[in-house]
Amino acid sequence: MKYITGVDIGNSTTEVCVGQIDDKGMLKFLSSASVETTGTKGTPSNVKGITRALTDALGKIHRKIEDLSVIRINEAAPVIGDTAMETITETIITESTMIGHNPDTPAGAGLGTGYIYPVDEIDRLQVDRAYICLVNEHIDYEKAASMINELMRTYEISAVVVQKDEAVLIYNRLNKKIPIVDEVKYIDKIEIGMKAAVEVAPEGHSIIKLSNPYGIASIFSLNAEETKHVVPIAKSFVGSRSAIFIRTPKGSVKEQAIQAGELSIYGEKSLERVQVDLGADEIMRASNKAAPIVDIEGESGTNIGIMIDNIKKSMQDLTGNDNSVKIQDILAVDTLIPMDVKGALAGEVSMENAVGIAAMVKTEHLPMEKIADKLQNETGVYVKIAGVEAVMASLGAWTTPGTTLPLAILDLGGGSTDAAILDENGLVKSVHLAGAGQLITLLINTELGLNDLNLCEHIKRNPLAKVESLFHIRMENKDIKFYEKPLSPKLFGKVIVMDKEKMIPINSNITMEKIVEIRKSIKKKVFVQNAVRALNMIAPDNRLRNIPNIVLVGGSALDFEIPDLILEELSKHKIVSGRGNIRNCEGPRNAVATGLLMSYKGQGKVL
C-alpha cells in the first residue's frame, strides 16, 4: 500500500489530489486541496504553493508529505496573457486644438459662447462681444457672484468657469441664470482671450452641441480637417451633462501617436503578416491560416512589437534560456480603451477602438524539470512529470457521473483554454490555446477604466445590483431585495458587486446595465470564441457535430454565466455541455490532479 498525489499547477490556483494504491493495484481517492499559485505557472517559484497544498490535503487524512511514494505534476507550459493597448484609430491633435472638461456638479442649463477671461479683468475690455468668466480658487463664491452681477449690467456674460466646487453656490446668487462649470483644477493653464463654449444640460439629460463634432464646427467655424481633429474630444463627452471647449492657439497642444504595428505569424508551412489596426477578426484569420504556429513576432518600434518583446523577455528571464521561448498561439479581441484627451483640464478620456491580445508562450521542458528537481529536493519524495494538462483533465472529467466515452472536455482556466477528446480506445487528441479568465479581467478593467484588477475580478465572478434606497437594492436580473436594517449610506445610489453577502461599491458613473453588457460581451469574445476554436481543432473529421457532449472543467467553469454562454453557442451545433462534477464531489475543479492519479502506471482501476 502506498500514497500518491497528483499536482495541477494552474495560472491562478494549484490543486492536489491524494490517493491510495492498495496491494491489488486499486486506486482510492482520499482528499484534495487548492491554494493560490505562487509565482508564474511553470516556474520554480510554484514549489512554495505546491508544498502548501500538499500539506493541506495530507493533513485531512492525518498524513505528512514524507508518507508519499510519488508526486505527479502536470506538464505545465507557462502561459502569459497580455493586452496590446494601442488604439486602432490614431488620435493626432495639432492645429486649431480644443480642450474640454466634464465636472460632476455643474449649474444652470444651456450653451454659452464667448471669449474667456478672468472675472476681475473683464471690466477693462470692450463691451461689444460676449465673455465667459474665469473664477479662480482665490475668489470665494459670494464675491464671485457679486462681481458677475455687476459685470452683467454692462457686458454680455454667457457662462462661468470655476476652479473650486462652487458652481451651485454662485448660480443661486446670480441675477441672470447662465451655465456654470466648476472643478476645473488647471484653470491657470487656460489660454486667456480664446473663444470658448460652455454647455450644461438639464438634469436627466446630456449635452447636445459639444458632444457633436459638427456642433463644435458650427460654433468655432471649423473646416473639415479641423473637425476631424476634435472627434476624440467630442466622443469623450457623449452622455455627459456638461462640458467646456476652448479653442487654443495654433499648435499649442500636440500628440504623437505610436503605430499599432504588424504581426508576423510563422506557421509550419507558411508565413502570415497582418496589420493590428485591421482588428481582431483579421488577426485571428491570419492566425488560423498559419496554424500550426511555430512562433509570432511583432514589428519593431510599434505597440504590438513592444508587447511581444516584453512577453518573450519575461519568459526568458524566468527560464534562463534565450532560445526556448516561442509564442505558439494568440487570441485577439476587439475592445475599447479610455485614452487621455490631450489638453484636457481634468483628466478626460476618449473611448478608442483597440485590440486586446493574449499570447501563449511555450518553452522547453527545462522549467518543469527545475520544478520537479526543487520539489524533490525539498520534500525528499520522488517527483514525476506525468502528462499534458488536457489529457489529464479528460481522465479526471471521466469521473463525472453520467459521462461516457467518447468524452470531450473544455478546461477553462485562468491563462489558457484547453480542449481534449478521449475516445473508446483511450486515445486523446488535445489543444492548448491562449486566452482565458485573466484576459477577461484585464479587458473588463480596460473597458470600464477602473484601474483596479481586484475589483474587476469580483465584477467578473459575481452579479451586480443597484442600491436604490437604504432598505432595498435592485439586482441586475430586475429582482428587488429588501433589508430590515438600513444599508450603509456610502452605498446609496451606487452600483455594487454582490460577492456572496458582501457588497463592493463600483465608484464609476457607468450604469449597471452597461457594466453587465460589457462583462457578458467580453466573456463571449474570450471563452465562447475560444471554445468553438478549440473544439473545431479536436473534433473528429474537423466537424463540431461529431462531438456529442462536452464536460466543462477548470476554475472558470465555476463562473455564474460562462457555462450558460457556451451552452447557448454549442446548442446551435446540437452539442450538450455542462459543468463537470469530478469524483462526484469536486464540481468542475480538480480534474487534472485527479487524472494524474488515474494515469499512474496507466491504470484505470478505481475504487
Side-chain angles (χ1 to χ4, degrees):
M1 182 182 297
K2 55 186 175 182
Y3 296 97
I4 65 171
T5 185
V7 178
D8 173 24
I9 307 166
N11 286 275
S12 303
T13 59
T14 295
E15 300 174 351
V16 303
C17 179
V18 178
Q20 182 186 73
I21 303 289
D22 65 17
D23 296 335
K24 296 180 180 180
M26 299 298 290
L27 168 64
K28 181 180 180 180
F29 298 110
L30 299 178
S31 68
S32 63
S34 176
V35 301
E36 185 176 342
T37 296
T38 51
T40 301
K41 172 183 174 179
T43 60
S45 54
N46 299 155
V47 171
K48 184 177 180 181
I50 294 171
T51 55
R52 187 183 306 156
L54 289 173
T55 301
D56 289 350
L58 289 164
K60 296 175 182 178
I61 57 173
H62 310 291
R63 296 290 176 179
K64 298 180 180 179
I65 292 178
E66 50 265 33
D67 294 327
L68 292 171
S69 297
V70 62
I71 299 172
R72 296 167 62 79
I73 64 175
N74 61 307
E75 179 68 54
V79 176
I80 293 181
D82 201 354
T83 49
M85 289 292 104
E86 70 283 344
T87 56
I88 291 176
T89 53
E90 294 177 351
T91 304
I92 305 174
I93 307 172
T94 52
E95 306 296 329
S96 301
T97 59
M98 303 287 172
I99 35 188
H101 178 49
N102 175 44
D104 293 325
T105 56
L111 176 72
T113 63
Y115 292 87
I116 196 160
Y117 282 92
V119 66
D120 54 358
E121 293 183 14
I122 294 177
D123 60 358
R124 300 191 292 271
L125 303 175
Q126 62 194 75
V127 297
D128 58 349
R129 60 181 184 173
Y131 293 97
I132 294 175
C133 296
L134 287 177
V135 178
N136 64 38
E137 61 185 356
H138 303 297
I139 303 174
D140 66 45
Y141 61 88
E142 289 186 339
K143 183 178 180 180
S146 176
M147 295 172 71
I148 294 168
N149 281 330
E150 185 62 31
L151 287 171
M152 284 180 173
R153 295 174 181 271
T154 308
Y155 294 87
E156 180 184 350
I157 306 299
S158 62
V160 182
V161 177
V162 185
Q163 187 169 23
K164 292 192 290 187
D165 180 15
E166 296 181 341
V168 174
L169 294 173
I170 294 173
Y171 180 82
N172 290 339
R173 289 164 174 77
L174 295 183
N175 296 328
K176 178 185 176 183
K177 304 304 183 182
I178 54 177
I180 304 177
V181 171
D182 59 3
E183 300 179 54
V184 182
K185 183 177 180 180
Y186 303 111
I187 200 169
D188 56 316
K189 294 185 178 181
I190 292 177
E191 297 280 354
I192 303 302
M194 296 298 105
K195 188 175 181 180
V198 173
E199 183 178 6
V200 177
E203 290 186 5
H205 295 265
S206 57
I207 58 175
I208 298 173
K209 290 285 188 180
L210 299 185
S211 60
N212 176 8
Y214 298 117
I216 299 170
S218 300
I219 296 169
F220 293 98
S221 302
L222 303 182
N223 60 33
E225 186 65 22
E226 291 170 329
T227 301
K228 182 175 70 173
H229 290 160
V230 302
V231 168
I233 302 174
K235 284 170 60 180
S236 74
F237 293 131
V238 172
S240 300
R241 192 187 160 201
S242 62
I244 309 169
F245 271 77
I246 306 168
R247 186 164 189 178
T248 63
K250 185 176 181 179
S252 67
V253 180
K254 295 183 179 180
E255 176 180 297
Q256 292 182 343
I258 300 176
Q259 297 292 322
E262 182 182 71
L263 271 176
S264 296
I265 306 173
Y266 295 87
E268 289 185 357
K269 297 181 179 180
S270 65
L271 166 62
E272 298 294 327
R273 301 185 189 275
V274 58
Q275 293 291 332
V276 172
D277 58 11
L278 293 177
D281 288 345
E282 287 300 318
I283 293 173
M284 294 312 297
R285 191 172 290 115
S287 175
N288 293 335
K289 191 174 179 180
I293 296 171
V294 176
D295 196 13
I296 296 174
E297 293 180 353
E299 182 182 353
S300 178
T302 66
N303 276 300
I304 192 62
I306 293 169
M307 176 203 153
I308 295 295
D309 288 346
N310 285 341
I311 290 175
K312 289 188 173 183
K313 186 178 185 304
S314 296
M315 287 312 304
Q316 287 167 359
D317 292 342
L318 289 169
T319 62
N321 191 327
D322 293 344
N323 299 318
S324 68
V325 176
K326 304 291 183 184
I327 294 178
Q328 295 201 339
D329 186 59
I330 59 170
L331 175 68
V333 177
D334 287 324
T335 185
L336 294 171
I337 63 172
M339 298 294 292
D340 292 337
V341 175
K342 299 302 178 182
L345 299 175
E348 291 79 21
V349 296
S350 170
M351 297 305 292
E352 296 290 336
N353 294 321
V355 179
I357 293 180
M360 189 195 78
V361 179
K362 187 174 182 180
T363 70
E364 296 174 355
H365 292 289
L366 182 60
M368 293 309 302
E369 291 172 353
K370 286 184 177 179
I371 295 174
D373 291 342
K374 184 176 181 181
L375 183 59
Q376 186 166 308
N377 289 335
E378 291 192 8
T379 62
V381 179
Y382 173 64
V383 178
K384 170 70 175 177
I385 303 172
V388 178
E389 283 177 278
V391 178
M392 297 301 104
S394 298
L395 291 175
W398 194 14
T399 65
T400 295
T403 59
T404 185
L405 299 181
L407 174 69
I409 65 105
L410 278 172
D411 188 354
L412 312 177
S416 65
T417 300
D418 303 335
I421 186 164
L422 175 65
D423 67 18
E424 296 91 336
N425 300 316
L427 298 177
V428 178
K429 183 179 180 181
S430 64
V431 66
H432 190 67
L433 300 181
Q438 291 175 355
L439 178 61
I440 291 175
T441 304
L442 287 172
L443 292 174
I444 290 174
N445 187 52
T446 299
E447 289 203 25
L448 295 181
L450 295 176
N451 197 29
D452 187 340
L453 287 174
N454 185 55
L455 173 60
C456 291
E457 184 70 18
H458 287 291
I459 292 173
K460 178 182 74 176
R461 294 176 179 272
N462 302 282
L464 305 181
K466 177 75 177 290
V467 180
E468 296 187 332
S469 79
L470 294 182
F471 291 92
H472 85 278
I473 63 175
R474 175 172 56 89
M475 303 293 292
E476 65 176 61
N477 65 356
K478 309 302 181 184
D479 287 348
I480 304 296
K481 185 175 182 179
F482 293 91
Y483 294 86
E484 292 184 2
K485 296 181 179 179
L487 302 172
S488 168
K490 294 180 180 180
L491 297 177
F492 179 71
K494 298 273 190 183
V495 177
I496 57 173
V497 182
M498 298 295 291
D499 186 1
K500 297 180 181 178
E501 291 303 315
K502 183 180 179 183
M503 297 180 180
I504 305 173
I506 301 173
N507 295 314
S508 170
N509 293 326
I510 305 175
T511 65
M512 176 174 67
E513 291 75 15
K514 185 64 176 177
I515 297 174
V516 171
E517 178 188 342
I518 289 172
R519 184 192 69 210
K520 286 189 175 181
S521 173
I522 290 172
K523 288 179 178 180
K524 286 181 180 179
K525 289 176 182 178
V526 176
F527 270 128
V528 174
Q529 178 183 186
N530 251 359
V532 173
R533 193 163 68 106
L535 292 172
N536 271 318
M537 293 180 180
I538 65 167
D541 300 324
N542 296 317
R543 297 186 63 185
L544 275 180
R545 290 180 181 272
N546 290 338
I547 300 177
N549 49 68
I550 296 166
V551 177
L552 304 181
V553 299
S556 293
L558 290 167
D559 187 273
F560 71 105
E561 58 190 353
I562 287 174
D564 293 339
L565 295 174
I566 292 176
L567 174 60
E568 181 182 357
E569 178 63 28
L570 294 182
S571 63
K572 300 174 184 177
H573 304 279
K574 311 297 183 184
I575 298 173
V576 178
S577 70
R579 293 181 182 89
N581 187 15
I582 311 305
R583 306 198 316 275
N584 200 23
C585 64
E586 296 282 356
R589 302 304 294 263
N590 211 256
V592 174
T594 297
L596 285 165
L597 290 193
M598 294 175 66
S599 66
Y600 182 67
K601 287 188 177 181
Q603 296 177 32
K605 294 178 287 183
V606 181
L607 286 176

